[in-house]
Amino acid sequence: MDDKSRANLFYRYIFIVISVFLLIGLMVISLVANEEQIFILFSLLIGLIIVLVLIYHMFENYVRPIRAASNVTNELVKGNYNVRTYVKPYGEAQKLSNSINVLARNLQEMSIQEKMQGSQWKTVINNMESGLMLIDERGYVHLVNRKFIHMFGNKSVQYIGYLYYDVLTQTSIHKVVQETFLYEEKMTGAITTIINGNKHYIEVVGAPVFNDLRELKGAVLVFHDITELKRVEEMRKDFVANVSHELKTPVTSIRGFAETLLDGAMEDKGLTEEFLHIILKESTRLQALVDDLLELSKLEKEEMKLAQKLIHVDSWIQSIIRLVEQQAQKKSISFQPNIESGVTFNGDPDRLQQVLLNLLYNAISYTSEDGTVGLSLQENSEEVEIKVSDTGIGIPDDAKQRIFERFYRVDRARSRNTGGTGLGLAIVKHIVEAHKGSITVESEVDEGSTFIVKVPKKW
Ligand SMILES: Nc1ncnc2c1ncn2[C@@H]1O[C@H](COP(=O)(O)OP(=O)(O)OP(=O)(O)O)[C@@H](O)[C@H]1O
Ligand SMILES: [Mg+2]
């Protein structure tokens, strides 16, 4: 009730009371003698004033607060928890108004908390690294999170309210749901899906949902993207296969030549010497392979602690240049170092020397005679940039990323002839990354390649 109607009610009461008093006055005046009339009228007037004051008091202290309180409760019922009622500093209605205000405040706090909790849950669910789907006991989808949408596409409205088997096509998922419902236990399955054009492996885990009475109320499906895990597993398998293969070749050859020698070839001195040379060469290769493998595994285990020294490039690079010059001369390759002088930076001098030698020996190996190999080193305020370039055979586009993989060689036969193990660049990459740096390659087939190493000056 608004103030206007409340005022109307108040005036109506006043009007009735005044009318009653007027009526009584008229009746009494007609019945009594003149001299008593004044006295009676005066008494009636006093009585009227008292009644009016009482009515006003009643209105102010009871009717008005109760009306206000009922208005506020109406608003609370509607869910508007911001409302408060006016509290008179005294009177009986004060308690009622106070209680209503406390109630309203509590409700408001509760609703704020509820909203916050709700949004917290939403945030958690939507920012999970795994896809999530909630299905009720009849198979209707109740919830899907953002990651799920990312994995399976469409919009959440295209899933929610539908039967799971109508919106998910993979039968492996149906199987997981059915088994989860059947056995009332956690079940797993696997699917593949295309995300942004790439194939992804997804593990599906179904878990039953129970209520307090342990009645089955539905299932939660969680979708983990295990593509990376699969890749690592594949790499591990490949690695084992590659290592075995790489070891097998020299071992078979050593064994074969040793057997041939024992079978009688030893009688021939020339043949013996030739075979022993082969055996030596193969065992050197075997040793190089084992050394590289040990090196890699040390790097991977992070056992190797990088020495952090201030490298003075001018003196540090001299020994590298000398070693490379010798190798280059043997193949009549022109080696052209171009080193900015006075550069210093932090790093492990021995490991970084290993990086440069690996890159430079590759450049010499994969460049034909009379070619050119370059080495440049420049600095800027944050990093040191080292470029190793050659005018060699180059690297095809599809191999550019793969050459950093262990055992990967563009041309297996040719590379093996150079005595390579195919582990050099894998080691290089590891060392550069341990220095928080990066390595990239630019190359044109038959024109040459440039390897660019960037290492931060401080790490
Ligand atoms: N400068 C280059 N020009 C052309 N191809 C290169 C160059 N550097 C590397 N490659 C290619 O990358 C492959 C991998 O190089 P990596 O150094 O890892 O192995 P490798 O040279 O065969 O053997 P090693 O482990 O003994 O160095 C090489 O086999 C070669 O095919
Ligand atoms: Mg190499």
Side-chain angles (χ1 to χ4, degrees):
M1 188 183 273
D2 57 17
D3 278 349
K4 213 173 138 200
S5 54
R6 197 180 304 122
N8 281 345
L9 188 70
F10 178 65
Y11 291 127
R12 224 178 297 147
Y13 278 130
I14 302 269
F15 176 74
I16 293 170
V17 168
I18 292 175
S19 311
V20 169
F21 269 85
L22 265 178
L23 221 66
I24 295 173
L26 286 176
M27 270 163 40
V28 171
I29 285 168
S30 61
L31 291 178
V32 293
N34 260 0
E35 55 276 19
E36 286 169 354
Q37 276 179 354
I38 304 274
F39 175 72
I40 285 173
L41 277 178
F42 187 70
S43 310
L44 275 174
L45 195 68
I46 302 257
L48 177 66
I49 289 169
I50 291 171
V51 170
L52 287 179
V53 168
L54 276 176
I55 289 177
Y56 177 75
H57 181 79
M58 212 178 74
F59 251 90
E60 270 302 297
N61 288 316
Y62 296 97
V63 178
R64 214 160 89 114
I66 288 170
R67 291 270 184 223
S70 103
N71 281 349
V72 168
T73 42
N74 276 340
E75 286 297 309
L76 290 179
V77 168
K78 282 184 214 157
N80 175 10
Y81 302 136
N82 296 325
V83 284
R84 297 287 181 274
T85 175
Y86 164 72
V87 182
K88 277 188 85 73
Y90 52 84
E92 274 306 300
Q94 182 203 14
K95 284 185 200 156
L96 175 70
S97 312
N98 259 337
S99 308
I100 286 177
N101 280 351
V102 170
L103 178 73
R105 210 169 296 127
N106 288 348
L107 280 171
Q108 190 176 26
E109 271 168 23
M110 266 161 60
S111 95
I112 290 172
Q113 268 176 11
E114 201 181 311
K115 262 187 212 151
M116 264 168 56
Q117 263 176 15
S119 75
Q120 273 169 4
W121 275 114
K122 234 186 191 165
T123 315
V124 170
I125 287 172
N126 273 331
N127 289 293
M128 272 170 65
E129 257 313 292
S130 306
L132 190 90
M133 178 181 252
L134 182 67
I135 302 172
D136 69 14
E137 72 271 31
R138 291 169 306 149
Y140 284 95
V141 178
H142 279 240
L143 183 141
V144 290
N145 71 349
R146 202 179 293 155
K147 186 76 188 181
F148 176 91
I149 299 295
H150 176 71
M151 284 173 172
F152 293 94
N154 291 335
K155 293 200 171 103
S156 51
V157 286
Q158 278 156 304
Y159 295 100
I160 294 172
Y162 293 95
L163 284 163
Y164 75 88
Y165 47 78
D166 286 340
V167 286
L168 291 172
T169 45
Q170 283 96 335
T171 44
S172 322
I173 304 180
H174 303 176
K175 201 166 153 245
V176 170
V177 179
Q178 282 154 11
E179 286 180 352
T180 307
F181 280 131
L182 188 66
Y183 302 114
E184 301 193 356
E185 262 177 30
K186 198 175 98 179
M187 291 292 157
T188 53
I191 56 161
T192 54
T193 175
I194 305 292
I195 304 175
N196 299 335
N198 299 318
K199 188 175 177 184
H200 280 247
Y201 293 89
I202 311 278
E203 184 195 33
V204 189
V205 182
V209 176
F210 298 106
N211 65 7
D212 294 343
L213 303 170
R214 265 206 74 79
E215 291 165 340
L216 189 67
K217 280 288 152 201
V220 179
L221 294 185
V222 182
F223 301 84
H224 303 292
D225 192 333
I226 51 164
T227 316
E228 186 57 25
L229 231 87
K230 271 257 186 226
R231 201 181 62 82
V232 173
E233 198 187 327
E234 287 299 316
M235 256 171 62
R236 195 185 55 78
K237 278 189 199 156
D238 279 359
F239 180 65
V240 173
N242 280 331
V243 170
S244 322
H245 177 76
E246 295 292 331
L247 291 174
K248 215 171 109 189
T249 326
V251 168
T252 317
S253 144
I254 290 170
R255 194 184 150 165
F257 285 107
E259 270 172 6
T260 323
L261 282 175
L262 287 173
D263 282 351
M266 234 174 358
E267 308 299 323
D268 184 332
K269 200 158 180 298
L271 219 55
T272 308
E273 206 179 314
E274 190 191 327
F275 285 4
L276 283 176
H277 271 296
I278 297 174
I279 290 176
L280 182 66
K281 193 179 145 223
E282 290 297 318
S283 45
T284 313
R285 221 181 102 71
L286 203 59
Q287 191 180 7
L289 201 66
V290 172
D291 285 349
D292 279 357
L293 281 172
L294 280 175
E295 176 82 13
L296 256 183
S297 85
K298 255 201 280 175
L299 284 168
E300 280 187 345
K301 272 196 202 150
E302 284 173 273
E303 234 176 40
M304 181 204 66
K305 295 266 175 296
L306 290 178
Q308 244 221 51
K309 291 189 186 153
L310 186 67
I311 301 174
H312 294 271
V313 170
D314 292 327
S315 55
W316 170 73
I317 208 115
Q318 280 315 314
S319 56
I320 301 175
I321 292 179
R322 232 173 289 130
L323 282 169
V324 176
E325 259 166 0
Q326 280 176 10
Q327 294 288 324
Q329 258 171 21
K330 283 189 202 163
K331 268 182 94 175
S332 317
I333 284 172
S334 139
F335 177 48
Q336 298 172 348
N338 171 21
I339 310 297
E340 192 178 328
S341 69
V343 177
T344 56
F345 69 102
N346 272 310
D348 186 324
D350 294 340
R351 296 290 179 185
L352 288 172
Q353 179 165 8
Q354 202 182 344
V355 166
L356 288 200
L357 284 179
N358 254 309
L359 293 176
L360 288 161
Y361 285 159
N362 273 352
I364 294 172
S365 295
Y366 303 108
T367 300
S368 49
E369 302 209 343
D370 301 322
T372 309
V373 168
L375 166 67
S376 79
L377 187 146
Q378 251 112 39
E379 69 166 344
N380 60 36
S381 55
E382 268 128 43
E383 54 189 17
V384 174
E385 188 186 76
I386 305 167
K387 283 186 182 169
V388 174
S389 56
D390 63 55
T391 54
I393 57 171
I395 302 160
D397 277 344
D398 55 339
K400 276 186 191 153
Q401 277 315 306
R402 300 208 59 196
I403 52 171
F404 297 102
E405 289 174 17
R406 299 167 216 178
F407 299 117
Y408 184 83
R409 302 184 187 101
V410 178
D411 178 350
R412 296 202 154 244
R414 181 181 179 139
S415 169
R416 208 170 272 142
N417 286 340
T418 67
T421 60
L423 291 171
L425 287 179
I427 293 174
V428 163
K429 194 169 169 122
H430 258 294
I431 296 175
V432 171
E433 283 176 356
H435 280 82
K436 308 248 182 308
S438 64
I439 177 160
T440 49
V441 60
E442 289 164 5
S443 185
E444 281 296 326
V445 173
D446 291 334
E447 304 230 325
S449 317
T450 305
F451 285 81
I452 304 153
V453 174
K454 289 182 183 171
V455 185
K457 284 175 156 180
K458 283 210 172 81
W459 40 275

